[in-house]
Amino acid sequence: ASVTLKARAKAAEVKNPSVRGVLSEVAASILMKIVYMARLCRYDLLKVVNYLARFLTKWTEAHDKQLYRLMCYMHSTKSKRLV
C-alpha cells in the first residue's frame, strides 16, 4: 500500500500529465511480466500493478513515473519473497 501512495505522490510532480508516455507501447508487456512474477512470490506488488494496468489505453508521463518507481521498489527489495 505504501508503494501506491509513493507512486501517486511522484506522479503529482509531472509537469504535463496529458502527454503520452514514452513507455506506452511496452507498458502492457512490462506490467504483465510483473503480474506473472507477483502472482507466484510477490503479493505486495499486485495492487500497484493492477492500478497501473487500468491506464494502459490512456498511458501518460505520470504513469511512466509510477512504473519507474515500481521498478525501483522491486530492485531495492529483491530479497523479499514469500516464506
Side-chain angles (χ1 to χ4, degrees):
S2 64
V3 177
T4 304
L5 296 176
K6 290 177 184 177
R8 288 181 184 169
K10 281 286 190 185
E13 297 174 7
V14 175
K15 291 179 175 60
N16 191 354
S18 63
V19 175
R20 188 156 176 82
V22 176
L23 298 175
S24 62
E25 299 297 322
V26 294
S29 176
I30 294 170
L31 288 174
M32 293 309 115
K33 289 174 185 178
I34 297 171
V35 165
Y36 182 77
M37 184 261 317
R39 282 183 329 118
L40 300 174
C41 59
R42 292 291 305 266
Y43 298 123
D44 60 323
L45 303 177
L46 286 173
K47 186 173 182 176
V48 180
V49 173
N50 287 329
Y51 172 79
L52 285 173
R54 287 189 285 174
F55 301 103
L56 285 174
T57 58
K58 51 186 180 230
W59 197 264
T60 65
E61 286 182 342
H63 301 111
D64 280 348
K65 285 191 172 265
Q66 292 173 348
L67 182 58
Y68 177 74
R69 176 71 180 144
L70 174 61
M71 297 300 287
C72 289
Y73 174 77
M74 289 171 49
H75 180 71
S76 66
T77 59
K78 283 189 231 180
S79 61
K80 286 192 175 189
R81 58 187 88 202
L82 185 64
V83 177

